[in-house]
Amino acid sequence: MIFKRKIYDELLRWKRTDEGRTAVLIQGARRVGKSTVAEEFATNEYDTHILVDFAACSSEIRDLFNDVSDLNLIFMRLQLEYGTELKERKSAIIFDEVQLAPKARQAIKYLVKDGRYDYIETGSLISIRRNVKDILIPSEEVKLHMYPMDYEEFKWALGDTATIKLLQGCFHNRTSLGDATNRKLMRDFRLYMLVGGMPQAVASYLDTNNLEKVDSVKRSIITLYEDDFNKIDPTGNASKMFHHIPAQLTSNANRYMTWRATDGARNSDLAEIISEIKESMVVNMAYHANNPGAGMALHQAPNKYKMFAGDTGLFVTLAFWDKKFTDNTIYHKLLSDNLSADLGYVYENVIAQMLKSSGHELYYYTFPTESGKHNYEVDFLIAEADKVSPIEVKSSGYKAHASLDAFCRKFSARIKNKYLIYTKDMRKEEDLLCLPAYMAMFL
């Protein structure tokens, strides 16, 4: 299945604005749909295209780019190999999994300067950085980040093009929906949390309407990630850290404790591996903001962070990894919000995912209570203009939000808006805006 994706419009803007002066690199985790959208775009927007898959092409094709002194020879070989005629300014060449062919990526500088064709690259998990140590990174490269399907894209896949637009209007007008409508919308949203935004999982749900089969697809994706992590880190620590995400979030610690996941290894020992995990885009990292405000990136704590799964559907499967499959009973209880386990961490993960896909960098803040025996914790902070907006995430009620209140007292002059995200209908409570979880995408 080919799904409508928002990055398609970003590619259109690139094509119309740059007009061949740059190549575009679509970066994202494995299986988020990069190759599919690149080929769909090339099919629709060009007369002809060639897709060079560096994970599957012959060594002769890969070696073509070792010497770019004769571009005519390269273009002739590609046309003969793929049986496709390239037309000047009307054709595109896709370099799929370009991280596996660093010389091809380096050649982009000369290919773009030549100007005959457009170039679309895709790159994923096995770190691009590891394969560029001895090459010149082309400055003629525009990077686009691609994430799992967001909630609106998920609704499009289900054939619903109206709901999100209507909800956006309600958000901006601060219009409550009523309890019955909200319950229905929350059930719809929990389906997205369970299936997730990986296109293969969504396609499986549409094909089978069976959440157990969807879970099987998600497990195959996680296994693929494990294999990739083991390539960049043969010690297995990267894979262990990824698998430990649900346990870390449920422990209520104010940071990710690497030693718990890796048999004692510390942040300082794993700095490069942690960087690789972050760059993979399989996870979303939220850093502690030592000085909450508009310039949080300048004051983040590099060794104090929380780690979330990049896709909440995969997160749910990781949380029940000890079973051979996450059976339909568990899924249906989660869907109905009847599972006895605390689901707060699942909501926290999906809000992190939604904020990230909306363009926010993720930050949080902790500070001691008045007694000094415990900590207040604000789940997320987002910069708005020259101020900061704190966000607290609840999986149920809204009446207790001590951390949010304490933060706003402590930094009163810096506060733009104050949000509580929960499962109930939208409501305004003095200066606090309470939002149902499905509206987090509008922040």
Side-chain angles (χ1 to χ4, degrees):
M1 293 183 184
I2 296 178
F3 299 113
K4 181 181 177 183
R5 304 298 298 272
K6 293 178 181 178
I7 199 172
Y8 194 103
D9 290 336
E10 295 183 57
L11 289 168
L12 273 177
R13 283 192 290 273
W14 160 77
K15 183 177 186 290
R16 292 167 182 168
T17 303
D18 287 21
E19 297 181 321
R21 292 187 294 271
T22 64
V24 65
L25 171 62
I26 306 172
Q27 289 183 290
R30 294 276 290 275
R31 302 294 174 89
V32 296
K34 301 181 303 299
S35 303
T36 300
V37 78
E39 189 159 21
E40 181 196 12
F41 182 78
T43 299
N44 294 343
E45 308 300 333
Y46 296 89
D47 287 1
T48 64
H49 72 277
I50 288 174
L51 187 149
V52 183
D53 181 355
F54 287 113
C57 71
S58 65
S59 58
E60 288 82 2
I61 291 297
R62 187 180 288 104
D63 292 344
L64 273 180
F65 302 97
N66 292 340
D67 180 358
V68 291
S69 60
D70 188 350
L71 294 182
N72 289 329
L73 175 62
I74 291 175
F75 296 141
M76 182 190 71
R77 289 284 306 277
L78 289 175
Q79 290 175 92
L80 288 172
E81 176 76 16
Y82 293 96
T84 299
E85 179 187 0
L86 293 172
K87 302 177 183 181
E88 189 166 336
R89 299 307 317 138
K90 294 182 178 179
S91 294
I93 300 176
I94 301 171
F95 288 168
D96 198 24
E97 302 291 1
V98 72
Q99 76 278 2
L100 301 177
K103 289 293 186 180
R105 190 179 180 201
Q106 179 175 262
I108 285 293
K109 177 180 180 65
Y110 307 99
L111 296 170
V112 167
K113 184 178 180 181
D114 172 75
R116 275 177 269 186
Y117 315 114
D118 282 357
Y119 299 90
I120 304 169
E121 307 164 85
T122 76
S124 57
L125 180 59
I126 304 173
S127 176
I128 287 178
R129 184 182 64 187
R130 279 183 174 247
N131 289 345
V132 297
K133 291 179 181 177
D134 301 318
I135 71 166
L136 181 67
I137 300 297
S139 59
E140 299 79 4
E141 190 179 74
V142 173
K143 295 181 179 67
L144 298 179
H145 290 133
M146 188 171 185
Y147 299 99
M149 297 167 73
D150 67 17
Y151 187 43
E152 185 170 21
E153 290 171 326
F154 180 77
K155 295 295 279 184
W156 289 343
L158 270 56
D160 180 351
T161 59
T163 294
I164 302 302
K165 288 180 182 177
L166 293 170
L167 290 177
Q168 190 167 24
C170 293
F171 170 78
H172 286 301
N173 296 324
R174 302 297 191 255
T175 305
S176 297
L177 301 165
D179 290 341
T181 300
N182 177 70
R183 280 194 295 272
K184 190 267 181 192
L185 290 169
M186 277 306 307
R187 182 179 171 84
D188 292 345
F189 182 69
R190 284 194 295 272
L191 176 64
Y192 169 64
M193 292 167 64
L194 299 180
V195 174
M198 304 304 282
Q200 279 181 289
V202 177
S204 177
Y205 174 73
L206 293 174
D207 279 343
T208 68
N209 199 34
N210 186 318
L211 292 170
E212 193 174 304
K213 294 191 179 203
V214 173
D215 188 74
S216 178
V217 170
K218 291 189 291 177
R219 284 172 185 267
S220 70
I221 294 172
I222 291 170
T223 300
L224 177 70
Y225 288 172
E226 286 179 330
D227 292 342
D228 283 343
F229 278 134
N230 289 333
K231 288 174 185 174
I232 64 174
D233 173 33
T235 69
N237 282 329
S239 181
K240 288 176 184 176
M241 288 183 68
F242 177 62
H243 266 278
H244 214 250
I245 289 173
Q248 292 274 341
L249 290 177
T250 55
S251 70
N252 291 320
N254 62 14
R255 69 179 76 191
Y256 190 103
M257 303 290 191
T258 55
W259 58 272
R260 289 182 180 174
T262 58
D263 301 323
R266 302 285 177 175
N267 269 317
S268 55
D269 303 321
L270 300 170
E272 186 173 348
I273 290 172
I274 293 167
S275 178
E276 297 272 12
I277 294 171
K278 179 184 176 184
E279 286 189 4
S280 75
M281 295 178 65
V282 167
V283 304
N284 290 321
M285 307 277 278
Y287 288 93
H288 190 271
N290 290 337
N291 186 19
M296 287 182 286
L298 300 173
H299 304 285
Q300 71 178 32
N303 292 322
K304 190 174 182 180
Y305 57 85
K306 289 192 170 187
M307 191 181 294
F308 301 93
D311 177 73
T312 302
L314 297 185
F315 178 90
V316 170
T317 297
L318 280 173
F320 295 99
W321 192 257
D322 55 330
K323 297 174 68 73
K324 286 187 177 179
F325 58 86
T326 310
D327 61 45
N328 271 331
T329 302
I330 292 175
Y331 270 115
H332 285 302
K333 285 186 176 181
L334 281 165
L335 189 59
S336 303
D337 216 6
N338 289 327
L339 198 65
S340 58
D342 176 22
L343 292 181
Y345 56 91
V346 186
Y347 282 97
E348 197 174 336
N349 197 95
V350 78
I351 299 306
Q353 180 181 347
M354 295 171 85
L355 292 174
K356 187 69 176 178
S357 64
S358 295
H360 295 289
E361 292 302 317
L362 302 179
Y363 299 98
Y364 71 103
Y365 188 72
T366 62
F367 58 108
T369 61
E370 290 76 8
S371 69
K373 295 180 179 179
H374 303 284
N375 282 324
Y376 290 123
E377 180 173 319
V378 177
D379 295 317
F380 298 105
L381 300 171
I382 56 176
E384 294 191 278
D386 60 343
K387 294 185 181 293
V388 66
S389 295
I391 299 170
E392 187 163 337
V393 180
K394 298 277 190 182
S395 60
S396 54
Y398 67 92
K399 292 185 178 179
H401 37 80
S403 294
L404 200 59
D405 295 338
F407 179 87
C408 292
R409 288 193 299 270
K410 184 178 177 69
F411 298 103
S412 58
R414 305 183 189 183
I415 305 301
K416 177 75 172 179
N417 294 298
K418 181 179 173 184
Y419 300 111
L420 187 141
I421 297 176
Y422 69 151
T423 60
K424 308 298 182 183
D425 193 12
M426 181 193 293
R427 61 179 289 148
K428 194 84 163 60
E429 189 180 85
E430 297 179 355
D431 61 342
L432 176 66
L433 181 61
C434 302
L435 293 174
Y438 47 78
M439 285 191 178
M441 63 190 300
F442 304 131
L443 296 179

